Amino acid sequence: MARPFESLARSSQLKRLRELAFPTLERHGVETRGIRLVQYEDNAVFLVDAGSAKYVLRMSVRHSRSPQEQRSELAWLAALASEKAVLVPKSAGEGRVITQPLAGWPEPVTSVVFEWIPGTTAPSYSSPGVAEQLGRLTASLHDHAHRYRPPAEFARPSWNFDDVFTGGAALADPKARARLDRAELDLLGRVSAMVRDRMPDRTPADWGLSHADLHRGNLVRTPGGDTAVIDFDDCGWGYYALDIATVLSSVLRVCDARSYGRFAAGYLRGYRAVRELPPAMARFDEFLVMRDMIILNFVLSSANEAVLSWGPGRAKEIFELMRAYAETGEYAGHLDVTGMSRTAPA
């Protein structure tokens, strides 16, 4: 009998996943010369060399989306690609979601294959025109989401207050809560109550399909100068302002306050050139908190060795920011967007 997958060291887990990857790719109809690991957290992501082409194999191991949820993700990606709204990965392997058993793991592993988008991830925030370009890209994504009519079987997660705070791992999962001390739990309670009281109502102008993980690492600058959006694994129903907060908070972490201010101004200028800012942006601090709460939920619920290596330090940073928010009502990355309106495209 195979040892339980969770009890294996990271290297042994990856060995089992690599062994499973080859028959999985064969079922997807992708010929394989070799594979290389790109990332392994809850998903194992491999770059696939198929000779004349390259692909990305995503194998969902922990907390994976259901096959129907993944088919729904592929449906939105197909619509984005066909309408050329935003440059996104195209599904390969005939757009199938493959389910395979994994030795020592109680649930089947689901997998999808995408065409590889070459380029550089996390485009430099300080390069001329990048801020405006990313703002226009985000707005175009939201504009398509607002117009998109999903099929009847469409199923994706939600990123509302209850999903992120009340029902999130940090406040609802006993194993996650066990990793926190009493002061941290009390702080999360205070912050949760503040966000709940300030969270705006959901309106059609504010709420729809969103990427939900639109940080710099999920943006690819292509050799042709375009920017692609990748990794729609978390896409679902949410506030458009949460996507904006995710972009800006990921930039804030790698620059100083003055540079952040310049980037944010350019980014919002680019966004407004395509569509109005969501009205919920008037409560922008709460979406910055929500973004970090999503990260905290992920860190505290993970058993992955890679996440356990960087997670505690990231959680400590987030708690420091939340303490300041509890005292001042402002969160790191605060912007005053009151009165901002759409501007004409350049």
Side-chain angles (χ1 to χ4, degrees), residues 92-143:
E94 300 180 358
R96 289 175 294 182
V97 178
I98 300 294
T99 302
Q100 294 270 73
L102 176 65
W105 187 244
E107 300 175 1
V109 171
T110 53
S111 68
V112 292
V113 176
F114 301 100
E115 294 180 3
W116 171 258
I117 297 180
T120 304
T121 58
S124 173
Y125 69 88
S126 59
S127 296
V130 165
E132 288 84 352
Q133 183 187 43
L134 296 185
R136 290 192 296 271
L137 180 148
T138 307
S140 296
L141 181 67
H142 292 167
D143 191 53

Side-chain angles (χ1 to χ4, degrees), residues 217-230:
N218 283 334
L219 302 170
V220 177
R221 186 78 164 178
T222 70
D226 296 320
T227 300
V229 183
I230 62 173

Side-chain angles (χ1 to χ4, degrees), residues 20-343:
L20 183 62
F22 289 96
T24 298
L25 287 164
E26 185 176 352
R27 289 186 60 188
H28 277 290
V30 176
E31 295 184 3
T32 311
R33 289 188 177 181
I35 62 174
R36 176 173 63 83
L37 181 69
V38 176
Q39 183 186 60
Y40 173 43
E41 291 184 349
D42 280 349
N43 295 325
V45 182
F46 294 97
L47 175 59
V48 180
D49 180 2
S52 60
K54 291 184 177 180
Y55 299 94
V56 174
L57 168 66
R58 186 185 74 198
M59 305 176 73
S60 299
V61 185
R62 297 182 181 88
H63 310 297
S64 61
R65 309 296 178 196
S66 69
Q68 185 56 47
E69 286 177 315
Q70 294 188 56
R71 283 190 286 269
S72 299
E73 173 195 356
L74 297 183
W76 188 30
L77 283 169
L80 285 165
S82 66
E83 297 175 31
K84 298 182 179 179
V86 175
L87 182 58
V88 296
K90 294 181 180 179
S91 175
E94 300 180 358
R96 289 175 294 182
V97 178
I98 300 294
T99 302
Q100 294 270 73
L102 176 65
W105 187 244
E107 300 175 1
V109 171
T110 53
S111 68
V112 292
V113 176
F114 301 100
E115 294 180 3
W116 171 258
I117 297 180
T120 304
T121 58
S124 173
Y125 69 88
S126 59
S127 296
V130 165
E132 288 84 352
Q133 183 187 43
L134 296 185
R136 290 192 296 271
L137 180 148
T138 307
S140 296
L141 181 67
H142 292 167
D143 191 53
H144 183 276
H146 186 71
R147 293 182 285 105
Y148 179 58
R149 296 296 177 263
E153 304 82 10
F154 196 87
R156 290 302 301 174
S158 174
W159 298 98
N160 199 2
F161 171 84
D162 288 339
D163 305 300
V164 176
F165 287 88
T166 309
L171 290 173
D173 184 348
K175 291 182 179 179
R177 289 172 60 89
R179 295 182 176 183
L180 302 175
D181 61 31
R182 173 47 55 188
E184 290 168 334
L185 288 170
D186 288 345
L187 175 61
L188 286 181
R190 295 200 307 275
V191 168
S192 175
M194 290 176 65
V195 174
R196 179 195 61 220
D197 292 343
R198 299 178 181 199
M199 186 61 62
D201 294 333
R202 288 170 17 184
T203 69
D206 284 312
W207 179 270
L209 268 180
S210 64
H211 184 279
D213 196 22
L214 200 59
H215 60 81
R216 291 174 62 248
N218 283 334
L219 302 170
V220 177
R221 186 78 164 178
T222 70
D226 296 320
T227 300
V229 183
I230 62 173
D231 192 2
F232 280 70
D233 186 45
D234 283 339
C235 72
W237 305 104
Y239 287 95
Y240 300 134
L242 179 59
D243 273 352
I244 296 173
T246 301
V247 175
L248 293 181
S249 65
S250 73
V251 171
L252 178 63
R253 294 193 68 230
V254 297
C255 69
D256 57 35
R258 176 176 290 186
S259 297
Y260 170 76
R262 287 196 297 266
F263 178 90
Y267 175 83
L268 295 180
R269 189 164 55 245
Y271 190 102
R272 298 196 309 272
V274 176
R275 74 192 307 262
E276 297 280 0
L277 283 174
M281 284 290 291
R283 302 305 323 179
F284 187 57
D285 291 79
E286 281 60 60
F287 293 103
L288 291 166
V289 180
M290 179 178 279
R291 171 58 187 172
D292 273 355
M293 190 68 179
I294 290 171
I295 296 173
L296 200 60
N297 288 333
F298 173 68
V299 166
L300 293 175
S301 63
S302 180
N304 182 273
E305 287 183 20
V307 178
L308 293 175
S309 67
W310 61 261
R314 187 74 177 95
K316 182 179 179 181
E317 294 173 357
I318 291 172
F319 277 115
E320 291 174 355
L321 298 177
M322 286 186 171
R323 288 188 189 94
Y325 171 77
E327 294 173 1
T328 67
E330 289 189 2
Y331 204 73
H334 166 83
L335 296 173
D336 184 1
V337 298
T338 304
M340 286 187 174
S341 61
R342 181 172 175 171
T343 58

